[in-house]
């Protein structure tokens, strides 16, 4: 323990837990009662892009992270029961141009986790449901600064962590305190992404090896190439380094995105049409990044801003809304409400249902 650091045992406060329970109970009610479907008449648009990352049977083992496999299967069943087709991104853009097309959902998985293949793909095969996996180059080379995985592993492995960048020592002897500590530190990084550079010394002092962790959780380059040949999987671009793009210069953004596209196209021997911004908002400063993605020849680019797809999105589809599909307590209700635009309705205070549908230039 570092001398002088105050020692704290983080906890999830009663207020925080109450807010979480209220949110999840509200999602369940909206889904079960049919109110989500009513909201969807205005906010559901023609379809929705859903975002996932890791899949797991036990989110607790990942400190309350990832999508529970049973929830994923329930969500796909719900989408189909709503009369939606689960389609590729390219098909979704075609359907936006056709007023007679059926409603749809698109599955997207960020970062290239092996659980996409081992856990999600067997469920997708049951429903003949395609997905796009957005892969950063350095995830394949094992050189990525996967700080989010490092922080999680740090708290899984250690009951005490001297976290000098924040000037505290965390006592985390049980699951609840580990989850609370991880949330606290991740929120600290999100407040200022330049803080990522301060984490290396903490990982060293806690014996966290990022390459080893990435090797455990991410697919290999060989697996990526092979799975791209599966008719249900398409690999998309996700930058070279997975840094927050808004913190980079124009030239750095161009190379970080463009080099990833070139790498993937060389490995896959085909054009890579679709791109997703790492982290969402921290990678988007106005329209700069969207214009760069457009100039590089992508057909679409995904944000993480909640909302559904409307015909207006075909004008310049480089800031497309994408609904988070992960909820460790009720992923099915999360997806059902997201597909009906509930989160967009709440974020806009029941204002405009359309997100980022405007010409870039």
């Amino acid at each position: 323990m570092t001398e002088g650091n105050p020692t704290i045992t983080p906890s999830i406060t009663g207020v925080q837990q109450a807010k979480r329970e209220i949110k999840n109970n509200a999602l369940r009610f909206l889904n079960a009662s049919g109110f989500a479907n009513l909201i969807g008449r205005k906010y559901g648009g023609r379809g929705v892009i859903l975002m996932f990352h890791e899949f797991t049977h036990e989110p607790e083992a990942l400190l309350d992270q990832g999508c529970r496999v049973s929830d994923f299967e329930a969500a796909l069943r719900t989408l189909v029961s709503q009369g939606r087709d689960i389609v590729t991104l390219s098909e979704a853009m075609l359907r936006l141009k056709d007023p007679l097309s059926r409603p749809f959902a698109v599955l997207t998985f960020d970062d290239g986790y092996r659980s996409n293949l081992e856990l999600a793909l067997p469920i997708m095969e049951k429903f003949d449901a395609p997905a796009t996996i957005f892969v950063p180059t350095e995830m394949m080379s094992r050189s990525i600064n996967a700080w989010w995985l490092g922080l999680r592993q740090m708290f899984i492995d250690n009951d005490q962590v001297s976290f000098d960048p924040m000037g505290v020592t965390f006592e985390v002897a049980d699951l609840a305190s580990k989850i609370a500590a991880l949330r606290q530190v991740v929120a600290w990084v999100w407040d200022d992404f330049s803080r990522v550079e301060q984490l290396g010394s903490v990982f060293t002092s806690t014996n966290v090896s990022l390459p080893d962790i990435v090797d455990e959780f991410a697919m290999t380059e060989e697996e990526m190439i092979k799975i791209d040949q599966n008719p249900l999987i398409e690999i998309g671009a996700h930058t070279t380094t997975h840094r927050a793009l808004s913190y980079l210069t124009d030239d750095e953004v161009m190379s970080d995105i463009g080099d990833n596209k070139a790498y993937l196209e060389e490995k896959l021997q085909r054009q890579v049409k679709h791109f997703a911004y790492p982290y969402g908002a921290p990678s988007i400063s106005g329209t700069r990044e969207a214009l760069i993605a457009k100039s590089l020849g992508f057909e679409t680019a995904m944000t993480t801003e909640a909302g559904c797809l409307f015909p207006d999105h075909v004008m310049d589809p480089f800031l497309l809304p994408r609904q988070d599909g992960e909820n460790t307590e009720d992923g099915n209700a999360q997806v059902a409400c997201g597909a009906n635009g509930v989160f967009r309705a709440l974020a806009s205070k029941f204002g405009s249902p359309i997100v980022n549908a405007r010409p870039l230039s």
Side-chain angles (χ1 to χ4, degrees):
M1 184 174 73
T2 301
E3 288 292 329
N5 277 355
T7 299
I8 63 172
T9 300
S11 62
I12 299 168
T13 68
V15 171
Q16 290 170 329
Q17 185 60 32
K19 287 182 177 179
R20 188 179 178 97
E21 291 178 1
I22 289 170
K23 172 194 171 182
N24 287 318
N25 287 334
L27 292 177
R28 294 184 184 107
F29 170 76
L30 289 169
N31 182 34
S33 67
F35 278 113
N37 292 332
L38 291 176
I39 293 172
R41 293 179 183 178
K42 177 177 179 181
Y43 290 90
R46 297 277 181 82
V48 66
I49 303 171
L50 297 166
M51 174 182 65
F52 301 89
H53 293 79
E54 294 176 275
F55 293 86
T56 179
H57 291 292
E58 298 181 16
E60 297 81 8
L62 302 179
L63 299 191
D64 198 40
Q65 293 186 338
C67 177
R68 186 179 278 105
V69 174
S70 58
D71 281 356
F72 182 60
E73 182 167 2
L76 296 193
R77 186 173 294 110
T78 294
L79 292 169
V80 171
S81 71
Q82 291 176 344
R84 296 177 185 270
D85 296 331
I86 303 176
V87 303
T88 65
L89 277 166
S90 294
E91 173 65 18
M93 300 315 295
L94 290 175
R95 291 194 178 201
L96 290 181
K97 300 175 184 178
D98 180 2
L100 300 179
S101 63
R102 286 167 50 87
F104 62 84
V106 176
L107 305 178
T108 64
F109 308 153
D110 283 11
D111 301 339
Y113 292 102
R114 186 173 286 114
S115 63
N116 298 171
L117 315 182
E118 295 177 345
L119 299 180
L121 182 57
I123 305 301
M124 293 160 53
E125 289 172 339
K126 292 183 180 181
F127 295 87
D128 195 28
T132 298
I133 304 176
F134 294 111
V135 178
T137 304
E138 290 187 354
M139 196 69 116
M140 298 298 95
S141 67
R142 304 320 198 220
S143 57
I144 194 168
N145 183 2
W147 58 270
W148 60 97
L149 296 179
L151 290 176
R152 184 175 73 191
Q153 197 65 46
M154 179 180 71
F155 287 118
I156 289 174
D157 291 344
N158 297 278
D159 291 343
Q160 185 183 78
V161 175
S162 295
F163 201 84
D164 291 344
M166 292 178 67
V168 299
T169 293
F170 291 104
E171 290 281 358
V172 285
D174 56 30
L175 178 62
S177 61
K178 290 177 185 291
I179 291 172
L182 178 60
R183 291 179 185 174
Q184 184 174 335
V185 175
V186 169
W188 176 79
V189 173
W190 273 76
D191 282 342
D192 180 355
F193 265 76
S194 67
R195 290 170 173 169
V196 169
E197 304 305 320
Q198 301 179 44
L199 300 178
S201 60
V202 183
F203 294 150
T204 299
S205 67
T206 53
N207 297 314
V208 168
S209 168
L210 293 182
D212 288 347
I213 296 168
V214 172
D215 202 41
E216 177 181 356
F217 287 99
M219 68 179 77
T220 64
E221 183 178 85
E222 291 74 17
E223 287 171 328
M224 176 192 72
I225 294 169
K226 182 178 180 180
I227 200 61
D228 185 65
Q229 298 168 8
N230 187 301
L232 293 180
I233 298 291
E234 179 178 14
I235 300 298
H238 203 39
T239 75
T240 299
T241 64
H242 203 281
R243 289 179 290 175
L245 297 176
S246 64
Y247 286 73
L248 307 183
T249 67
D250 293 359
D251 288 343
E252 287 172 330
V253 173
M254 178 67 77
S255 63
D256 212 38
I257 300 174
D259 290 352
N260 176 233
K261 189 174 193 290
Y263 160 78
L264 292 173
E265 290 180 341
E266 191 275 326
K267 294 298 179 182
L268 304 176
Q269 291 297 292
R270 64 166 179 81
Q271 182 184 6
V272 173
K273 302 176 182 179
H274 306 291
F275 172 72
Y277 303 98
Y279 312 113
S283 280
I284 300 168
S285 53
T287 60
R288 180 187 69 159
E289 292 78 18
L291 286 167
I292 289 173
K294 182 178 182 179
S295 74
L296 288 167
F298 289 106
E299 292 183 3
T300 67
M302 317 290 116
T303 71
T304 62
E305 190 167 357
C308 295
L309 297 182
F310 291 79
D312 289 354
H313 283 114
V314 300
M315 287 189 297
D316 258 322
F318 300 98
L319 288 168
L320 292 176
R322 191 164 53 137
Q323 173 61 50
D324 184 6
E326 295 175 348
N327 182 322
T328 56
E329 293 189 27
D330 196 330
N332 181 41
Q334 173 87 10
V335 167
C337 289
N340 280 296
V342 169
F343 296 96
R344 172 58 186 174
L346 295 174
S348 67
K349 298 180 180 178
F350 290 89
S352 172
I354 304 178
V355 182
N356 294 335
R358 62 185 188 274
L360 294 177
S361 56

